[in-house]
């Protein structure tokens, strides 16, 4: 994600009807932030999810991410995905209530000295409940228990509208902005056609 590319010139840039364009913001923290208190748990727990089955992983990934157009892990080759989620340097956690998985946290320590907050998402039934703070506190504590000097994440404007501010309140500071253009997965059948209704599908004239 931290690749250097030539900046786009000022002005408007047409995007094909079958493509999506989004503004990606990269954020990082280089020291552990002051702790923030957890809200009442209301029966929620965060549990390590070791080597999840691909179908179970993808089901939770879709549950928390499909309406924000998360697509990468949904369509990734099985063996490539298995290598990632079974890597001992990748830690996956599920936010649980009564045995049901309602949130996904994935921490990637594969690059020495740093941790990427690779995926962070909640079932929509938990929005506004404080569950995000519970999950983020686990993310921060777990990341900084390791010998890292940098914890980073990227988000985009296709994500929940409160995501960027939430990351900043959690101690991440923005350091780079990029434009990403990719094929609209709703037009290829990779995601359901009515996903992300806040971001309309375009059709060619």
């Amino acid at each position: 994600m931290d690749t250097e590319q030539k900046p786009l010139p000022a002005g408007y840039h047409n995007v094909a009807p079958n493509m999506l364009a989004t503004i990606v913001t990269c954020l990082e923290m280089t020291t552990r932030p002051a702790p923030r208190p957890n809200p009442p748990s209301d029966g929620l727990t965060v549990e390590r999810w070791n080597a999840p089955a691909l179908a179970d992983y993808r089901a939770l990934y879709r549950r928390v991410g499909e309406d924000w157009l998360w697509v990468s892990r949904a369509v990734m080759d099985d063996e490539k995905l298995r290598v990632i989620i079974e890597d001992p340097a990748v830690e996956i956690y599920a936010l649980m209530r009564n045995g049901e998985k309602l949130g996904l946290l994935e921490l990637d320590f594969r690059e020495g000295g740093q941790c990427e907050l690779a995926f962070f998402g909640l079932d929509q039934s938990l929005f506004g409940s404080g569950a995000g703070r519970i999950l983020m506190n686990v993310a921060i504590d777990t990341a900084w228990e390791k010998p890292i000097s940098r914890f980073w994440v990227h988000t985009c404007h296709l994500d929940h509208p409160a995501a960027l501010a939430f990351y900043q309140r959690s101690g991440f500071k923005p350091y780079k902005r990029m434009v990403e253009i990719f094929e609209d997965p709703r037009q290829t059948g990779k995601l359901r056609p009515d996903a992300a209704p806040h971001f309309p599908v375009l059709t060619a004239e």
Side-chain angles (χ1 to χ4, degrees):
M1 179 56 63
D2 287 341
T3 56
E4 291 298 330
Q5 297 180 349
K6 184 177 179 180
L8 287 172
Y12 293 99
H13 302 275
N14 286 331
V15 178
N18 67 321
M19 304 295 282
L20 293 173
T22 183
I23 305 299
V24 178
T25 301
C26 299
L27 307 99
E28 65 182 357
M29 58 174 74
T30 54
T31 58
R32 187 173 189 159
R36 296 176 65 98
N38 275 335
S41 67
D42 193 25
L44 293 168
T45 59
V46 180
E47 300 179 16
R48 179 77 181 268
W49 195 11
N50 291 304
L54 295 184
D56 293 339
Y57 175 92
R58 285 192 172 116
L60 182 58
Y61 177 91
R62 284 182 177 273
R63 179 171 185 169
V64 304
E66 191 163 34
D67 275 327
W68 312 111
L69 297 178
W70 291 15
V71 67
S72 62
R73 297 292 174 82
V75 301
M76 186 178 288
D77 174 80
D78 283 355
E79 286 310 307
K80 184 176 180 181
L81 178 57
R82 194 188 314 278
V83 166
I84 294 172
I85 66 177
E86 294 184 358
D87 192 309
V90 175
E91 299 187 8
I92 302 170
Y93 297 82
L95 185 68
M96 308 284 294
R97 178 189 282 150
N98 299 325
E100 185 179 14
K101 293 179 174 63
L102 296 171
L104 174 66
L105 166 64
E106 187 171 323
L107 301 173
D108 189 339
F109 294 94
R110 288 178 295 173
E111 189 165 345
Q114 61 181 298
C115 175
E116 179 187 1
L117 180 57
F119 292 101
F120 184 96
L122 301 174
D123 182 82
Q124 293 194 32
S125 66
L126 295 178
F127 290 176
S129 69
R133 176 54 52 203
I134 293 171
L135 194 60
M136 179 57 75
N137 283 349
V138 170
I140 291 170
D141 289 345
T142 304
W144 288 102
E145 285 171 357
K146 305 290 196 302
I148 65 168
S149 58
R150 179 175 181 254
F151 186 26
W152 72 280
V153 64
H154 71 270
T155 186
C156 73
H157 84 274
L158 297 177
D159 206 346
H160 189 287
L164 183 57
F166 175 76
Y167 288 134
Q168 292 177 275
R169 288 197 306 274
S170 299
F172 291 96
K173 298 183 186 307
Y175 69 93
K176 183 163 67 172
R177 188 175 293 122
M178 298 179 290
V179 174
E180 181 183 12
I181 298 176
F182 62 100
E183 193 172 41
D184 188 339
R186 299 166 298 182
Q187 297 194 45
T188 61
K190 294 175 181 177
L191 295 183
R192 68 178 201 275
D194 63 340
H198 62 289
F199 207 84
V201 175
L202 298 182
T203 55
E205 294 293 337

